[in-house]
Amino acid sequence: TDEILIRLEHVFGIDEDAVLSKSATVNVTALLNEIGFETQGATELTLTANQAKKSQHYLPWSTADQKELSKELNEKEAAKMLEDNEGVITLDPMEIRTALVKVARS
């Protein structure tokens, strides 16, 4: 079993183009099958590829009025995770997604 680091980017911005600025869906499993790899699992990573996206935590910080803000993985992000969607990634405009995919030559 080998691993491939894959990074996908949606290069269009919001409202930059009537059609091309819409969310784009990529079937990573089918893409890798086309070039001779059988996928055996995947883990979505942070952009820097140094930790799993699901385990990413943000530092809490306070604003001027002392309201504590803390960002966690929200429901929309969690629903789009590669490993939960059978190898399918949906990219919103200007979004970059990174994953480590376990593969074997087919």
Side-chain angles (χ1 to χ4, degrees):
T1 303
D2 293 315
E3 296 176 322
I4 295 175
L5 182 68
I6 187 165
R7 181 167 287 144
L8 300 171
E9 177 181 6
H10 191 310
V11 297
F12 284 88
I14 296 171
D15 297 328
E16 185 177 343
D17 184 90
V19 175
L20 300 175
S21 291
K22 294 181 180 180
S23 295
T25 301
V26 178
N27 186 327
V28 176
T29 302
L31 175 71
L32 292 173
N33 286 343
E34 284 290 319
I35 58 173
F37 292 102
E38 178 184 328
T39 58
Q40 298 178 336
T43 302
E44 188 157 353
L45 304 173
T46 59
L47 183 60
T48 55
N50 65 343
Q51 64 180 316
K53 181 84 171 167
K54 282 189 173 182
S55 66
Q56 180 180 15
H57 296 286
Y58 296 85
L59 294 174
W61 55 282
S62 297
T63 61
D65 61 0
Q66 298 303 311
K67 289 183 181 175
E68 188 175 292
L69 300 175
S70 178
K71 182 180 179 205
E72 296 296 331
L73 197 62
N74 65 40
E75 287 181 25
K76 181 182 175 193
E77 290 172 323
K80 292 177 15 176
M81 298 297 289
L82 174 67
E83 55 266 37
D84 296 336
N85 289 305
E86 299 176 7
V88 176
I89 289 181
T90 299
L91 296 158
D92 292 326
M94 298 303 295
E95 186 175 29
I96 302 170
R97 308 278 294 277
T98 305
L100 188 62
V101 183
K102 292 180 183 177
V103 298
R105 290 265 180 198
S106 47

